[in-house]
Amino acid sequence: MQEVYEKFLSESESKAFNLAHRKTIAFNISRYDASVKKGKLQYSNLDLAKKRAGIIKHKVLENLENYLKEFDLNISSRGVKVIWALDAIEARKAVVEILEKHHVKLVVKSKSMITEEIGLVECLEKNGIEAIETDLGEYIVQISNDRPYHIVTPVMHRSAKDVAEIFNQKFGLPIDSTPEEITAFVREKLRDKFLKAGAGISGANFIIADPGAVGLTENEGNGVMSTTFPEVHIAIAGIEKMIPTLNDLDLFWPLLSTHGTGQKVTAYNSIFTGPRQKGEANGPRFMYVILLDNGRSNVLAQIPQRRALSCIRCGACLNGCPIYRNIGGHAYGTVYSGPIGSVITPHLQGMEIYKHLSYASSLCGKCSEVCPVGIDLHSQLLNNRNYSVVNNLVPSIEKRGMKIWKIAMKNRWMLDLPPSNVKNFFVKKLFGKTWGKRRTLPVVSKKTFGKLWKELSEK
Ligand code: SF4
């Protein structure tokens, strides 16, 4: 537990003071900001759209069990096998069993954070199954043994020059290759994999109760190819990805693309309702949907924090967050980073291990302001803090400190009594190693406020 926290502190510090890293992030986020500003112009009333999306997601979460059953019933009727996975272990096991059943040795994967969440690629490798990332960003992450930096833009921390260097080292491409040349090279390299793969694995941006479908949105077309070329398609979806009907995509797809990348709508939007049906020429012969809980029920059980499950993973709160902009995605040490990651990770992976993330916030409210489904993220961070105090998860030294602070604040004379040099000693002792490390600590005045006030009043 303590190691996770200390690693977070040291990584945050090293990233926050790495000027090259900050420069790359600032540049990439400034481009994002500019295109989102333009993208939002498509709305005559964005607030209303956000409100409607928030209400729909609220309705879904209040009736999630029924929507999930409806989804299962509807999509199963067209030959899809739905598997309910309680945790990452069950989900990985289900995938391996499906692949073994169909004798699959090569898998093409479209971009999906949920497969990162369950550690799927590593698991497949251990089972002798090759899994190739087909999203360009994820492909770069894979060939450079990196981790996704951001839930929408996995290589946000890399400049065009960094990427060219990776391809130079890995494949001998010219060091000054342009993004277009690199894209063409990857496209050529992946074409063969799409044709040879026995299965395609995708996530799901949305699962749709009526008529029972999986919605996928992406910009490169690799998702379409991963899910339609191979004989088997496995979609892994978090149970919270539910929306009630197809019509709701009309609202959610543009909201997701505008807040994710600034586009009016993403380039490729697919709706999968099942495997190839009689008389159809294309598409997989077998389709599986794995519905993953993996701690989401824990969030659902917390009524104030339940709203966090409305997230459509657009990444806007990450890009807006002053903490994320400084420490970047890797410092969090989690699959989901930024404000939404800080809210949900403690519930998904253990509050006692990840509670510190809820404290790593300036509570400025920018995350809540930019969220397209109106999640009050900064309040959720406070709810998590409250949860960890109520459930006795804060260190005893902090509890004692708060008790003393409360008594002192309620009794003015206690604050006034010690001389200023004693107070300065304690300020240094208590905060010197944390706040004082890079800042000049405040010096307590020789005269207390009460004394100054009295003197002024007597003048
Ligand atoms: S919490 Fe809101 S802003 Fe953040 S990723 Fe989810 S939908 Fe986007």
Side-chain angles (χ1 to χ4, degrees):
M1 272 185 276
Q2 191 62 15
E3 303 96 76
V4 175
Y5 171 55
E6 274 162 16
K7 191 156 183 253
F8 170 71
L9 286 185
S10 70
E11 294 267 309
S12 302
E13 176 154 343
S14 92
K15 282 289 154 61
F17 291 94
N18 178 337
L19 292 185
H21 171 261
R22 280 174 67 167
K23 200 174 151 202
T24 306
I25 298 308
F27 175 73
N28 287 334
I29 293 186
S30 71
R31 281 178 39 175
Y32 162 87
D33 286 341
S35 69
V36 168
K37 201 172 163 195
K38 264 197 223 149
K40 283 182 178 171
L41 295 176
Q42 73 170 314
Y43 286 94
S44 57
N45 191 340
L46 178 60
D47 284 342
L48 182 63
K50 286 165 69 165
K51 212 173 199 169
R52 280 184 57 205
I55 291 169
I56 292 171
K57 286 303 271 184
H58 174 74
K59 189 173 90 176
V60 165
L61 293 174
E62 294 303 306
N63 300 284
L64 190 56
E65 189 185 335
N66 294 333
Y67 280 113
L68 285 166
K69 283 188 204 154
E70 188 185 348
F71 168 81
D72 187 342
L73 203 69
N74 286 339
I75 201 162
S76 301
S77 71
R78 285 184 300 276
V80 175
K81 174 123 177 58
V82 177
I83 297 158
W84 296 63
L86 187 63
D87 54 24
I89 299 171
E90 284 192 13
R92 289 194 300 259
K93 189 167 167 264
V95 175
V96 171
E97 280 174 7
I98 296 166
L99 298 177
E100 281 174 351
K101 183 178 158 197
H102 293 281
H103 310 291
V104 174
K105 284 286 167 203
L106 173 65
V107 164
V108 277
K109 240 190 102 259
S110 69
K111 182 184 171 323
S112 128
M113 290 310 288
I114 203 160
T115 53
E116 297 289 336
E117 180 185 331
I118 63 171
L120 186 64
V121 173
E122 298 77 17
C123 163
L124 294 183
E125 272 167 15
K126 275 188 201 142
N127 283 277
I129 300 164
E130 188 187 0
I132 305 283
E133 296 287 355
T134 62
D135 170 87
L136 181 59
E138 288 288 354
Y139 184 75
I140 297 168
V141 168
Q142 189 174 37
I143 61 168
S144 54
N145 291 324
D146 203 353
R147 286 178 292 135
Y149 185 86
H150 186 282
I151 58 177
V152 176
T153 23
V155 282
M156 186 189 255
H157 58 309
R158 304 269 193 205
S159 64
K161 195 169 155 258
D162 296 336
V163 174
E165 266 169 28
I166 293 172
F167 279 83
N168 172 264
Q169 281 164 17
K170 197 86 194 170
F171 302 110
L173 258 61
I175 192 84
D176 55 354
S177 296
T178 63
E180 291 74 19
E181 285 163 348
I182 291 170
T183 309
F185 171 81
V186 174
R187 190 175 293 144
E188 196 54 44
K189 216 166 168 45
L190 290 182
R191 191 156 296 161
D192 189 45
K193 300 286 183 191
F194 283 123
L195 294 171
K196 286 190 179 146
I201 298 181
S202 73
N205 294 100
F206 299 101
I207 47 177
I208 307 143
D210 177 15
V214 172
L216 203 64
T217 186
E218 39 122 10
N219 267 319
E220 297 169 12
N222 63 300
V224 181
M225 291 199 279
S226 304
T227 50
T228 51
F229 280 24
E231 287 281 281
V232 181
H233 172 201
I234 305 171
I236 308 174
I239 52 172
E240 82 287 9
K241 291 294 180 90
M242 184 66 72
I243 54 171
T245 69
L246 273 187
N247 288 344
D248 297 315
L249 285 175
D250 181 42
L251 175 68
F252 281 98
W253 263 344
L255 272 179
L256 175 55
S257 54
T258 302
H259 289 80
T261 54
Q263 290 164 284
K264 285 186 177 170
V265 74
T266 316
Y268 296 91
N269 295 288
S270 310
I271 298 166
F272 304 98
T273 54
R276 191 190 312 171
Q277 304 289 302
K278 224 175 176 186
E280 288 179 353
N282 301 307
R285 283 181 55 220
F286 305 94
M287 182 172 169
Y288 298 84
V289 174
I290 298 175
L291 293 175
L292 180 71
D293 183 328
N294 208 27
R296 285 156 176 83
S297 300
N298 298 340
V299 190
L300 197 66
Q302 306 299 320
I303 294 182
Q305 282 102 318
R306 181 176 287 181
R307 261 182 99 175
L309 291 178
S310 306
C311 174
I312 56 172
R313 305 279 189 268
C314 71
C317 58
L318 282 66
N319 301 335
C321 175
I323 307 299
Y324 186 92
R325 282 171 176 243
N326 278 287
I327 66 171
H330 287 159
Y332 289 80
T334 55
V335 172
Y336 304 107
S337 54
I340 186 63
S342 300
V343 170
I344 60 172
T345 306
H347 295 281
L348 301 183
Q349 290 181 252
M351 185 64 80
E352 58 286 8
I353 307 170
Y354 287 101
K355 64 179 184 306
H356 58 273
L357 296 178
S358 307
Y359 291 81
S361 166
S362 61
L363 297 177
C364 66
K366 182 75 179 169
C367 46
S368 309
E369 185 192 312
V370 297
C371 177
V373 285
I375 303 173
D376 51 344
L377 287 150
H378 66 296
S379 310
Q380 301 294 348
L381 292 168
L382 285 173
N383 287 334
N384 276 1
R385 295 182 192 183
N386 182 47
Y387 180 100
S388 50
V389 172
V390 170
N391 288 282
N392 235 356
L393 299 173
V394 290
S396 49
I397 185 153
E398 185 181 320
K399 275 190 275 177
R400 276 202 296 274
M402 290 310 278
K403 247 186 208 158
I404 294 168
W405 180 81
K406 190 175 157 192
I407 295 168
M409 291 309 279
K410 283 172 119 180
N411 296 284
R412 182 78 227 178
W413 64 269
M414 283 190 184
L415 284 178
D416 291 347
L417 192 66
S420 62
N421 57 346
V422 173
K423 289 179 192 165
N424 282 324
F425 171 80
F426 278 108
V427 167
K428 236 189 206 162
K429 195 93 191 135
L430 293 173
F431 305 114
K433 283 194 183 147
T434 51
W435 291 348
K437 209 166 161 193
R438 292 184 188 271
R439 299 176 190 85
T440 312
L441 286 172
V443 178
V444 178
S445 159
K446 280 196 172 140
K447 289 181 188 170
T448 65
F449 176 76
K451 205 164 184 192
L452 279 170
W453 186 257
K454 207 170 161 210
E455 279 176 15
L456 276 171
S457 319
E458 281 166 1
K459 268 187 188 168

